[in-house]
Amino acid sequence: RADVWVDGQHVAFHEGGHTPFSADITAALRPGQVHTLVVRAEDDPQDIAQPRGKQDWRPEPHAIWYHRTTGIWQPVWIEVVGAAHIVDIRWTPDLTRNVLGLTVSLKRGGDATVRARIQLSLHGTQFADDLCLVPGTSLHREFAVDHATLGLERQQVQWSPEHPNLIEAEISLVTADGVSDAVRSYAGLRSVGVSHGRFWLNHSPLFLRLALEQGYWPDTHLAAPSDSALREEVELAKALGFNGVRVHQKVEDPRFLYWCDRLGLLVWGEMPSVFVYTREAIERFTREWIDVLHRDVSHPCIIAWVPLNESWGVPNLLNDPAQRSYARALYHLTHALDATRPVIGNDGWELMDSDIHAVHDYTFDGRALRERYGTQEAVEHTLRHVQPQHHVILLPEAGRTDQPVMITEFGGLSFRPDQGTAWFGYGTVRTPEEFEAKYAELVTAIVDSRSVAGFCYTQLTDTLQETNGLLTERRVPKIDAAVLRAITERVASATPGDAVDTLRMDAVTADKAAGE
């Protein structure tokens, strides 16, 4: 919870969630005087009924949990706005119709006539300038963004990791007294979906190559040390050959999502878990998850939502009908609030309703991965009968049609630690050469399968006692980054166009190198 005081006078209260909240402090202000504004956040470090993700509830990190972060760790600011001001905006791309939808929510501040001016540009060329009356507190508009009409190639308009085109926007509220409020924003025109056992981006199948992104930092934990560090994190993931990250058990800093939008990195958005199943935990989790969806829904980089991970917060999912109802409710609630993205009901195992069958499998043997996922028959047998992490993958009532299957946690390689080290990953090697060989063995076993639509490797960076990253905690590659990239980008047998795309990207890289 958070409270706001002005000169000791309590003016606002907010509990849970990430949605910005406003406080009317005008009654507490006195013209010509200096005032003290206090924002206080309270966080019970031992409360496991609040969403906490990988922040430990014990004094020192144990198992796979990390140090807690205290205080406000994401950007906070105060701004002055006019009586009529913008409260929220939401972008909704429709690639099938080549249309970009915009919903603006506002406060009117009285009965004055309010108009909204919306200006859109792409690659520096303005293509929309719309001025319209706003009769209520919400406005919805649609704008055609057709590449042929704009005189551009399709790849210059649509958003993708290779071509992260962004439509720049300026939105103003105009009254009789002039501009009352103005904001800048951006949007990406793209589509995501799943069908026929594949993930689709912009109506084309795409093999997902994700890294598990814990988003912790050695000195500041959940909070990044700087904006440039967030940008470098995105650049490092791309440099290692990944086209996306699964942000794990954390609602990321909006600045990280900004750089993913700008630089072209796909993101799975995930909710930090609670660790008990109680009514209070359900209420807190659901309230915050709604706020997360509301805050981040307009980011083009986000291509999937993950409300639950490994049955955390629903520990008796297999036997408790109430917990199964809750898990299914979260899946459907997420779709109700955002119908444009796939939802993974419970990443890892014990799946019921889920648009992607996401499996966690930390076997250290590439041959075992090939036996479990190498063919469609093997995949179906594994989903129904094998328990890779000692958990049932599909619950009895789970529907199995054409959902893509992805290995969304695997690997976890670590160099063999010194004696007495608390944690060393899911499998250990002794030398850089062994590290390279084992990484190649595991990744190749997955990309050679014609029945797996993507993977998420554990993990991008070392984090405290979890020393199983491709990078150290200080973001230094453990072996040659070019070697890691070549392995990560190996052609996927499951995606027909992957070989063509790889050849084309190799040609582009060669052309750039020749030009330099």
Side-chain angles (χ1 to χ4, degrees):
R1 58 171 285 170
D3 293 89
V4 178
W5 288 265
V6 176
D7 297 338
Q9 178 181 340
H10 188 262
V11 296
F13 161 74
H14 187 63
E15 183 176 13
H18 305 81
T19 301
F21 69 102
S22 59
D24 186 358
I25 64 174
T26 54
L29 301 181
R30 296 179 297 279
Q33 296 191 21
V34 176
H35 301 276
T36 300
L37 175 70
V38 176
V39 179
R40 186 183 72 184
E42 296 183 13
D43 181 5
D44 184 347
Q46 296 179 320
D47 186 353
I48 59 174
Q50 72 178 35
R52 63 188 312 113
K54 304 254 319 215
Q55 295 186 94
D56 210 327
W57 53 94
R58 297 183 184 178
E60 293 298 325
H62 80 288
I64 60 170
W65 283 274
Y66 310 142
H67 280 301
R68 298 187 298 268
T69 296
T70 59
I72 299 171
W73 62 276
Q74 289 197 11
V76 176
W77 68 93
I78 186 170
E79 61 182 316
V80 177
V81 296
H85 58 270
I86 296 169
V87 175
D88 182 62
I89 60 175
R90 174 170 178 165
W91 299 102
T92 306
D94 184 344
L95 192 62
T96 301
R97 299 166 53 222
N98 290 317
V99 164
L100 179 65
L102 169 64
T103 300
V104 181
S105 302
L106 63 142
K107 280 194 173 182
R108 298 185 58 85
D111 298 328
T113 299
V114 179
R115 290 180 171 82
R117 185 180 184 186
I118 304 162
Q119 299 169 286
L120 304 180
S121 62
L122 183 62
H123 301 304
T125 300
Q126 188 177 89
F127 67 90
D129 191 346
D130 187 24
L131 181 65
C132 54
L133 185 68
V134 185
T137 58
S138 182
L139 172 71
H140 180 74
R141 305 291 284 176
E142 289 188 339
F143 302 91
V145 194
D146 180 68
H147 69 277
T149 303
L150 296 175
L152 299 171
E153 298 294 328
R154 183 178 286 106
Q155 68 181 23
Q156 295 177 291
V157 174
Q158 296 178 1
W159 187 95
S160 69
E162 296 79 18
H163 306 283
N165 303 297
L166 292 176
I167 298 166
E168 307 292 342
E170 294 187 18
I171 305 167
S172 305
L173 297 184
V174 183
T175 67
D177 297 326
V179 175
S180 181
D181 192 18
V183 299
R184 291 183 178 179
S185 183
Y186 63 83
L189 185 67
R190 61 104 184 93
S191 67
V192 296
V194 293
S195 67
H196 301 89
R198 301 287 177 265
F199 174 85
W200 298 76
L201 176 69
N202 299 338
H203 306 316
S204 296
L206 177 68
F207 190 86
L208 294 183
R209 307 166 193 272
L210 311 180
L212 198 68
E213 164 70 3
Q214 303 285 4
Y216 276 71
W217 305 82
D219 303 316
T220 52
H221 303 307
L222 281 174
S226 65
D227 180 68
S228 61
L230 291 170
R231 174 172 184 159
E232 289 166 5
E233 190 90 335
V234 175
E235 293 171 335
L236 280 169
K238 290 177 69 72
L240 296 182
F242 296 102
N243 56 21
V245 293
R246 175 182 162 211
V247 174
H248 190 42
Q249 289 298 295
K250 178 186 182 185
V251 179
E252 256 300 0
D253 190 314
R255 296 174 299 172
F256 178 82
L257 300 177
Y258 168 87
W259 286 118
C260 291
D261 291 335
R262 288 283 173 194
L263 301 177
L265 188 68
L266 305 173
V267 174
W268 281 21
E270 185 169 319
M271 180 63 187
S273 294
V274 297
F275 294 100
V276 291
Y277 180 75
T278 64
R279 190 178 76 172
E280 185 177 40
I282 292 172
E283 291 174 353
R284 288 172 170 177
F285 186 97
T286 305
R287 182 171 59 243
E288 290 202 29
W289 183 232
I290 291 171
D291 285 345
V292 170
L293 297 172
H294 178 84
R295 192 198 75 171
D296 293 342
V297 69
S298 292
H299 285 283
C301 67
I302 295 181
I303 59 167
W305 298 116
V306 183
L308 293 174
N309 172 72
E310 294 186 344
S311 301
W312 293 353
V314 281
N316 195 20
L317 199 61
L318 186 62
N319 301 307
D320 187 349
Q323 293 188 29
R324 292 201 300 274
S325 294
Y326 173 50
R328 301 184 88 162
L330 285 173
Y331 167 85
H332 291 289
L333 173 66
T334 306
H335 266 305
L337 294 174
D338 178 16
T340 70
R341 292 175 173 92
V343 179
I344 296 85
N346 181 26
D347 205 299
W349 52 67
E350 295 181 343
L351 289 161
M352 294 178 294
D353 294 345
S354 188
D355 301 321
I356 295 171
H357 285 162
V359 182
H360 296 179
D361 192 333
Y362 281 107
T363 181
F364 198 57
D365 186 353
R367 291 174 298 179
L369 289 176
R370 291 179 185 275
E371 290 173 0
R372 294 172 185 174
Y373 310 103
T375 66
Q376 187 63 37
E377 293 76 17
V379 167
E380 296 302 328
H381 177 77
T382 299
L383 292 179
R384 294 295 183 186
H385 303 291
V386 179
Q387 300 182 15
Q389 302 302 125
H390 310 293
H391 291 273
V392 174
I393 298 176
L394 297 183
L395 293 183
E397 60 264 53
R400 174 75 181 137
T401 54
D402 66 349
Q403 293 100 326
V405 174
M406 299 186 190
I407 315 304
T408 52
E409 286 189 30
F410 80 107
L413 299 179
S414 176
F415 286 117
R416 189 168 296 280
D418 296 331
Q419 188 173 7
T421 300
W423 177 259
F424 47 86
Y426 293 92
T428 58
V429 295
R430 297 178 183 276
T431 66
E433 291 76 19
E434 288 183 22
F435 194 108
E436 175 186 340
K438 182 57 69 171
Y439 182 62
E441 175 189 328
L442 298 177
V443 170
T444 303
I446 293 176
V447 299
D448 280 354
S449 170
R450 293 184 179 276
S451 301
V452 173
F455 66 75
C456 179
Y457 181 81
T458 303
Q459 55 193 7
L460 185 63
T461 70
D462 287 351
T463 308
L464 292 170
Q465 72 273 21
E466 267 194 309
T467 58
N468 53 7
L470 297 174
L471 309 173
T472 68
E473 203 169 28
R474 297 288 177 182
R475 277 52 180 179
V476 178
K478 293 183 177 178
I479 62 175
D480 189 338
V483 171
L484 290 171
R485 181 187 184 104
I487 297 170
T488 305
E489 291 186 331
R490 288 186 176 179
V491 174
S493 298
T495 306
D498 199 48
V500 176
D501 292 339
T502 301
L503 290 172
R504 183 171 64 246
M505 292 306 296
D506 288 345
V508 171
T509 302
D511 289 344
K512 288 183 177 179
E516 293 172 355

